[in-house]
Amino acid sequence: MHEMSIAMAVVCQVEEAARAQGAEGVEAVTLRVGELAGVVPEALRFSFGLACEGTVLAGAELVTEHVPGRARCTSCAGEWATGMPPRLCCERCGDSRTELLSGRELRIATVRWATGPRRALALEEL
């Protein structure tokens, strides 16, 4: 399950940012996940919960934003939703020379830092 390695990488990056920001904890992390990224959001959420244990992200929520796949034909400039499995030939002219516009994203979009007594309570519960 590569979702665990993704979750661990996200936790590592957010921990590094937390140290740089002087943050005491994290309430939520939002990831933009492309339809074509090969990631199962439910498996990623489960893995994220495990990867957060014992870190400043303990108890943080993982929010995933779905990014649909879109492609454009380099011949006629037609654009379409790729769907799954992806349709990569132009729907207008049939050409296979296309570029993927979106759908492979897998990036941290936002982090909501924990502040004040709410974070202290969460730490006491651990």
Side-chain angles (χ1 to χ4, degrees):
M1 163 186 340
H2 72 285
E3 282 83 356
M4 180 56 88
S5 62
I6 293 168
M8 291 173 66
V10 168
V11 168
C12 184
Q13 289 179 22
V14 173
E15 276 192 308
E16 188 176 304
R19 279 192 295 279
Q21 296 289 322
E24 296 178 12
V26 176
E27 289 184 2
V29 175
T30 302
L31 293 181
R32 292 182 51 86
V33 181
E35 177 178 36
L36 308 174
V39 174
V40 178
E42 295 79 23
L44 183 57
R45 265 189 222 85
F46 176 78
S47 299
F48 180 79
L50 294 176
C52 288
E53 290 180 13
T55 73
V56 297
L57 286 90
E61 175 188 11
L62 177 66
V63 178
T64 56
E65 293 179 351
H66 175 78
V67 180
R70 294 212 43 88
R72 176 180 21 222
C73 178
T74 58
S75 296
C76 74
E79 289 187 22
W80 66 95
T82 61
M84 275 305 284
R87 293 177 314 276
L88 299 176
C89 287
C90 180
E91 295 177 339
R92 188 185 299 167
C93 72
D95 200 329
S96 62
R97 292 175 292 176
T98 59
E99 64 179 315
L100 198 55
L101 301 175
S102 67
R104 294 193 308 182
E105 295 83 352
L106 181 57
R107 69 177 187 86
I108 299 169
T110 62
V111 176
R112 189 171 66 233
W113 306 114
T115 57
R118 186 172 180 190
R119 180 61 185 165
L121 179 62
L123 289 174
E124 287 173 14
E125 293 171 357
L126 293 174

